[in-house]
Amino acid sequence: MPDALTLRDTTAEAVQMLTVCNACRYCEGYCAVFQDLSHYRKVEAQDIDYFANLCHHCTACLHACQYKPPHEFGIDIPRALTATREQSYADYAWPKPAGDLFANHGVIASVVTAVCLTLVLGMTMWLNPAAAETHTGPGAFYAVIPHGVMAATGLVTFSYGLLAMFVSALRYGRSIGVRSGDVFNYANLLRTTHAIASMRHLGGGHGDGCNETDAAYTNRRRYFHQATMWGFLLCFAATCVATIYELGLGRLSPFPYTSLPVVLGSLGGLGLLLGPAGLAWLRWRRDDPTSPMDWSLLLMLFTISLTGFALMLWRETSWMGALLAVHLGFVLAFFLTLPYGKFVHGIYRGVALIKFARDNP
Amino acid sequence: MSAPFPQADVTVIGGGHAGLCAAISAAREGASVTLLESAPLAMRGGNSRHTRNLRARHDGPAVTLTGSYDAEEYFQDLLRVTQGATDEALARLTIDESASLLCWLSDLGVHFQPALSGTLNLSRTNAFFLGGGCALMNTLYEVAETAGVAVFYDAEVIALEMEAGCCRSLTVRYAGATHTLDTSSVVAASGGFQANDAWMRDVWGEAADNFLIRGTPYNRGLVLRALLDGGAAAVGDPQQCHAVAIDARAPKYDGGIVSRLDCVPFGIVVNRAGQRFYDEGEDFWPKRYAIWGRLVAQQPDQIAFAIVDHKVRDNFMPSVYPPVEADSIEALAAAIDVPADTLQATVSGYNAAVQAGDYDPDALDGCRTQGLSPDKTHWALALDEPPYLAYPLRPGITFTYLGVKVDARARVLMSDGQPSENVYAAGEIMAGNVLGKGYCAGTGMTIGGVFGRIAGREAACLTR
Ligand SMILES: Cc1cc2nc3c(=O)[nH]c(=O)nc-3n(C[C@H](O)[C@H](O)[C@H](O)COP(=O)(O)OP(=O)(O)OC[C@H]3O[C@@H](n4cnc5c(N)ncnc54)[C@H](O)[C@@H]3O)c2cc1C
Ligand code: SF4
Ligand code: SF4
């Protein structure tokens, strides 16, 4: 855990580096950071949290920099902004003490996952002797884990995650100077949504993408990232539709393979296999210091998808109970660690992009 | 020792913009190419890594360029800055080819961006490299290697065996040993000699020790020297270099663009003795910063201090290095080690000479002094609002003008006027043919690119 002094140092270093950038400006066309920087006369410490979350660590500006190490200026914007970005996650976390969780995210995520798996699997198998039997037809899942228990656990943990992230977003937004008027502004929202949906900035300002291992540009990261985001959103949509089916239409899961929730979920699941695997591969090849929280989110999403498919494939066998418990164990762990891991990147970046849209019409 | 380098048709010396354009064009003509770059990979690209744009002719909007910029207007701009010190045929060739250079680079995958904020005056004439010269170099190196060019870093050419205008072998220092490399043709693209201390001292005397070199420490002029000694005709004044006034605290080499200071027109500039020596408000800074390099070079110890007061500090972009600040002129003098009484007298005299007028930092305003020698003719406001800020200035050398003469096929001309059989030159090392003096933003990279392409093509044809 960085102490107060190194905290200040990372911010001071970022201020120093961006001051050099502001005198240089060669990277103006790469991304939102440099585009917005050109409106600043002077970069101050309080501006760094904003810039940090506008950066998505594509490293284009590092490869392009004539002052990168071994030059004595040692300019490395992606490193400086990644350090301050991760610090900002901790600084705006809610409740405040939970910010410490970021620093040890890898360990915490593993422990939470292990506990969730043991609990869900253990309780299911121990409390319900029928869990290891074959169940088919509508309501089969609830023969293993009661509907109420499953729904309540999911709802409570996910809502908590949403609430924690919402409060963090508010605090972050206030600190970087985003006002509610900026959020409820049609043009801003449209531009922000478009930027996120297309991941415009991962195009590198020229559409050829960003740098990976060397000075060459590639769009791989953009595509894998899109697969991950859309995969997640499709799975979320599948869950919502399923809920409507169950509560509104009175139809109980498991649904047929051709039903809307299963189709959405499978498409999303594919995205969550491909995207995180691809991103992890790129990370591994790039061989730069990656914080554990990046790995754990990718691993979590991948495993949820994998266990989801396994459940779908073998739902008509006696393994269904165990598979369901394992899948839900991972989902539960994901929900619990949601607000204190890399997932919040999407939230902070969204808020930063709203400010960017406001200031760069 | 025999060379570790593969036998190649064309040997390109120098891996900056000119060298890479030459290597790529030679390789695309089917020649085998070896490129020798004296810098290590991390610092490759010479002065080109510090650049941001090139100037190109265009009849209508092209890449990121707005409007049009025709050949005649371009030529007039060149004539004006060089005051006629240009070879008209080569200048017109450069201008003509600049249009296709832009397309060629763009086809190779070089990305351009609109003029950077603060340089909108160049959006019609200059195409800016996205990410700057280093990004340009990255792309060109990648293209070159894909095209089969064998690139060697840390490989410095120290001699060319010249015989009757022909070069059959080179001596290269590489990996701690000296090697001889045979070649059928050579493209010299190794820049000027500004990073050669001894040579600079020859020209400038001891003052040269206090110069800062804005670009690469690897342009030591060894190849230029070898060519001149081998009988090549010289072009450009050996005493001349492009020198601008930059922050004295910048590194000795490679400080590049960010060591720029924009404060001069808004205050006064004094030398080590605390005395003014030139009109700080003669014209807008971008039009004057290039004469200030020479002005500071002529002061004792080649140092000067720009002094402004609090009320104008927001009129210019802040410097990368923070200013020296003090609450009185006396304290400021102590902080910058200038005699306090002289500085006080200079400031009082200046303040007393300031005439009333409408101050306007964005226009040639009517604020001037009367009766001083020298007077300050614009933006003259009394220095009376503490804190006072001082910025130390030193001459920053961009490049030297001395080069080798070439013809329209980029062949090096020998002192008898005959072209060399197999030695070509491109870039800074021959820029003096077109830019005999003065400078016009973006022409350096245009000359390098245009002559690099020609040299590569011609050298490749020679070996067929
Ligand atoms: C700070 C700065 C900013 C500039 N900005 C611009 C701009 O925006 N636009 C513009 O048009 N011009 C600009 N210029 C000028 C521009 O840099 C030059 O005109 C251009 O780079 C010349 O290209 P070149 O390939 O001839 O030289 P360089 O790019 O300097 O390349 C020469 C190469 O030769 C190598 N070399 C030298 N000696 C040897 C040897 N003996 N053996 C092997 N290799 C050797 C060096 O390592 C170097 O890589 C700028 C210059 C500076 C210093
Ligand atoms: S990263 Fe380097 S090249 Fe890019 S703007 Fe900053 S200093 Fe300039
Ligand atoms: S790493 Fe990429 S996103 Fe981050 S500042 Fe640099 S160019 Fe922008």
Side-chain angles (χ1 to χ4, degrees):
Chain A
M1 180 69 204
D3 59 24
L5 186 68
T6 48
L7 283 192
R8 251 180 280 117
D9 281 355
T10 43
T11 306
E13 188 185 53
V15 169
Q16 245 167 26
M17 288 190 189
L18 286 175
T19 301
V20 173
C21 292
N22 207 16
C24 166
R25 301 199 166 165
Y26 285 6
C27 292
E28 212 165 273
Y30 276 132
C31 75
V33 172
F34 295 99
Q35 197 182 327
D36 209 42
L37 182 64
S38 64
H39 306 317
Y40 286 67
R41 247 186 66 76
K42 199 167 186 299
V43 183
E44 316 263 9
Q46 74 258 19
D47 305 322
I48 296 302
D49 284 343
Y50 167 53
F51 287 125
N53 282 288
L54 271 190
C55 167
H56 49 69
H57 198 273
C58 73
T59 70
C61 64
L62 174 64
H63 287 280
C65 189
Q66 66 273 33
Y67 302 120
K68 64 176 163 285
H71 189 285
E72 64 177 270
F73 291 171
I75 305 293
D76 184 342
I77 295 296
R79 185 178 56 74
L81 291 187
T82 296
T84 45
R85 182 167 58 249
E86 292 183 352
Q87 190 50 50
S88 74
Y89 295 164
D91 289 347
Y92 298 101
W94 181 84
K96 204 154 182 33
D100 291 347
L101 298 177
F102 281 95
N104 306 309
H105 182 84
V107 179
I108 289 168
S110 329
V111 171
V112 170
T113 310
V115 170
C116 287
L117 277 179
T118 321
L119 267 182
V120 180
L121 190 62
M123 300 250 288
T124 308
M125 293 301 160
W126 183 55
L127 291 178
N128 183 359
E133 290 165 17
T134 307
H135 302 271
T136 53
F141 294 152
Y142 307 124
V144 176
I145 300 175
H147 194 174
V149 174
M150 199 193 295
T153 320
L155 199 67
V156 168
T157 50
F158 189 60
S159 309
Y160 172 77
L162 283 187
L163 175 71
M165 289 193 293
F166 181 71
V167 178
S168 306
L170 280 184
R171 294 171 49 163
Y172 174 67
R174 199 175 310 129
S175 143
I176 66 167
V178 172
R179 290 174 293 269
S180 54
D182 304 330
V183 182
F184 300 108
N185 173 307
Y186 177 67
N188 279 355
L189 272 189
L190 195 70
R191 267 200 305 277
T192 309
T193 314
H194 178 247
I196 296 176
S198 64
M199 301 209 171
R200 181 165 73 86
H201 296 288
L202 275 171
H206 43 63
D208 281 0
C210 42
N211 298 95
E212 284 303 334
T213 47
D214 57 21
Y217 298 118
T218 149
N219 260 317
R220 281 188 205 125
R221 183 141 171 260
R222 186 189 199 176
Y223 297 147
F224 285 134
H225 199 302
Q226 260 161 343
T228 309
M229 181 183 77
W230 288 112
F232 176 80
L233 290 176
L234 282 172
C235 288
F236 185 66
T239 313
C240 293
V241 174
T243 311
I244 295 172
Y245 274 23
E246 300 212 331
L247 299 184
L249 307 179
R251 294 171 54 182
L252 289 185
S253 61
F255 302 111
Y257 291 117
T258 51
S259 66
L260 192 56
V262 176
V263 170
L264 286 175
S266 306
L267 284 175
L270 278 180
L272 286 184
L273 285 181
L274 260 177
L279 287 173
W281 171 63
L282 291 178
R283 284 250 161 224
W284 174 73
R285 280 194 345 150
R286 188 147 87 180
D287 189 32
D288 60 3
T290 307
S291 68
M293 74 170 116
D294 290 10
W295 291 111
S296 68
L297 178 64
L298 294 178
L299 194 66
M300 200 88 97
L301 292 172
F302 184 85
T303 332
I304 289 176
S305 172
L306 198 67
T307 52
F309 276 118
L311 175 60
M312 190 173 82
L313 284 180
W314 287 294
R315 69 188 188 187
E316 288 179 358
T317 71
S318 60
W319 283 97
M320 184 269 271
L323 286 171
L324 178 67
V326 169
H327 181 59
L328 290 182
F330 277 115
V331 173
L332 187 62
F334 172 64
F335 284 174
L336 284 173
T337 54
L338 196 63
Y340 309 117
K342 187 56 195 251
F343 192 84
V344 299
H345 145 77
I347 309 291
Y348 288 104
R349 183 162 176 80
V351 178
L353 280 174
I354 288 180
K355 175 169 155 120
F356 178 75
R358 179 193 73 194
D359 296 345
N360 298 270
Chain B
M1 217 172 141
S2 77
F5 316 109
Q7 195 65 40
D9 301 330
V10 180
T11 305
V12 177
I13 312 174
H17 183 55
L20 286 162
C21 288
I24 292 168
S25 95
R28 292 196 157 194
E29 293 289 333
S32 56
V33 184
T34 294
L35 185 143
L36 306 172
E37 158 69 339
S38 57
L41 190 154
M43 299 307 282
R44 69 185 181 185
N47 279 355
S48 302
R49 65 187 270 123
H50 287 287
T51 63
R52 54 184 189 183
N53 59 31
L54 58 76
R55 184 174 287 250
R57 162 183 82 79
H58 55 108
D59 299 325
V63 192
T64 58
L65 295 168
T66 56
S68 70
Y69 185 47
D70 68 26
E72 196 48 39
E73 185 184 357
Y74 196 152
F75 183 67
Q76 291 307 325
D77 284 342
L78 261 184
L79 265 190
R80 202 176 47 250
V81 298
T82 58
Q83 298 172 310
T86 182
D87 176 325
E88 179 164 348
L90 296 184
R92 289 200 183 270
L93 172 69
T94 307
I95 292 169
D96 260 0
E97 293 285 313
S98 67
S100 68
L101 172 66
L102 194 62
C103 303
W104 187 72
L105 289 173
S106 193
D107 288 346
L108 293 182
V110 172
H111 295 292
F112 292 90
Q113 63 187 343
L116 303 177
S117 45
T119 62
L120 295 182
N121 55 321
L122 294 174
S123 59
R124 186 172 64 91
T125 52
N126 290 42
F128 285 71
F129 315 122
L130 176 59
C134 220
L136 168 77
M137 290 297 100
N138 290 342
T139 306
L140 294 186
Y141 269 101
E142 192 190 280
V143 171
E145 298 198 66
T146 310
V149 174
V151 176
F152 291 86
Y153 298 104
D154 297 298
E156 186 177 39
V157 174
I158 52 174
L160 279 76
E161 276 65 59
M162 296 285 292
E163 215 184 290
C166 181
C167 173
R168 290 287 169 224
S169 78
L170 316 167
T171 311
V172 191
R173 200 162 14 203
Y174 177 70
T178 304
H179 308 274
T180 307
L181 169 65
D182 296 334
T183 181
S184 343
S185 66
V186 178
V187 177
S190 49
F193 67 87
Q194 63 278 0
N196 187 325
D197 298 345
W199 195 342
M200 289 295 280
R201 208 175 298 135
D202 273 354
V203 179
W204 282 87
E206 280 179 10
D209 295 351
N210 288 324
F211 294 174
L212 302 175
I213 308 302
R214 300 176 66 208
T216 183
Y218 295 95
N219 285 358
R220 306 198 299 127
L222 300 187
V223 175
L224 174 61
R225 181 83 273 162
L227 286 174
L228 293 176
D229 290 349
V235 70
D237 185 345
Q239 312 289 325
Q240 293 291 322
C241 55
H242 185 261
V244 307
I246 59 169
D247 198 309
R249 296 160 295 184
K252 173 79 181 169
Y253 297 104
D254 272 331
I257 188 114
V258 303
S259 55
R260 188 188 60 222
L261 283 177
D262 296 328
C263 55
V264 168
F266 303 102
I268 62 170
V269 177
V270 299
N271 58 19
R272 165 125 283 168
Q275 275 151 352
R276 289 179 60 242
F277 51 88
Y278 197 82
D279 177 5
E280 301 86 348
E282 193 173 44
D283 205 339
F284 290 107
W285 184 238
K287 296 195 176 167
R288 280 294 163 269
Y289 76 127
I291 67 163
W292 276 85
R294 185 165 312 273
L295 291 169
V296 176
Q298 286 157 356
Q299 300 308 309
D301 295 337
Q302 295 69 51
I303 188 140
F305 301 91
I307 298 175
V308 301
D309 70 358
H310 182 72
K311 64 178 171 294
V312 299
R313 74 182 300 169
D314 286 342
N315 288 172
F316 51 90
M317 276 302 286
S319 54
V320 162
Y321 296 92
V324 180
E325 298 198 28
D327 282 328
S328 68
I329 293 294
E330 200 179 4
L332 190 69
I336 59 178
D337 195 21
V338 162
D341 45 349
T342 345
L343 185 61
Q344 188 66 63
T346 302
V347 171
S348 312
Y350 166 80
N351 285 353
V354 168
Q355 307 294 302
D358 285 330
Y359 175 73
D360 181 354
D362 299 319
L364 290 172
D365 66 2
C367 289
R368 57 168 300 142
T369 64
Q370 202 78 61
L372 287 183
S373 169
D375 267 316
K376 181 176 177 189
T377 53
H378 299 99
W379 309 297
L381 295 180
L383 282 168
D384 53 10
E385 198 179 303
Y388 301 99
L389 321 176
Y391 301 83
L393 297 164
R394 278 212 192 277
I397 313 300
T398 321
F399 51 79
T400 47
Y401 282 99
L402 179 68
V404 291
K405 238 191 174 113
V406 296
D407 66 7
R409 291 166 61 188
R411 294 181 297 186
V412 170
L413 294 178
M414 308 309 289
S415 38
D416 60 3
Q418 289 304 307
S420 157
E421 203 175 296
N422 69 345
V423 183
Y424 303 82
E428 204 86 351
I429 195 171
M430 49 64 66
N433 289 273
V434 179
L435 276 176
K437 65 174 172 187
Y439 187 66
C440 183
T443 44
M445 292 298 275
T446 303
I447 297 169
V450 166
F451 278 89
R453 284 181 73 193
I454 297 177
R457 197 168 58 223
E458 292 285 334
C461 291
L462 187 70
T463 57
R464 274 224 200 101

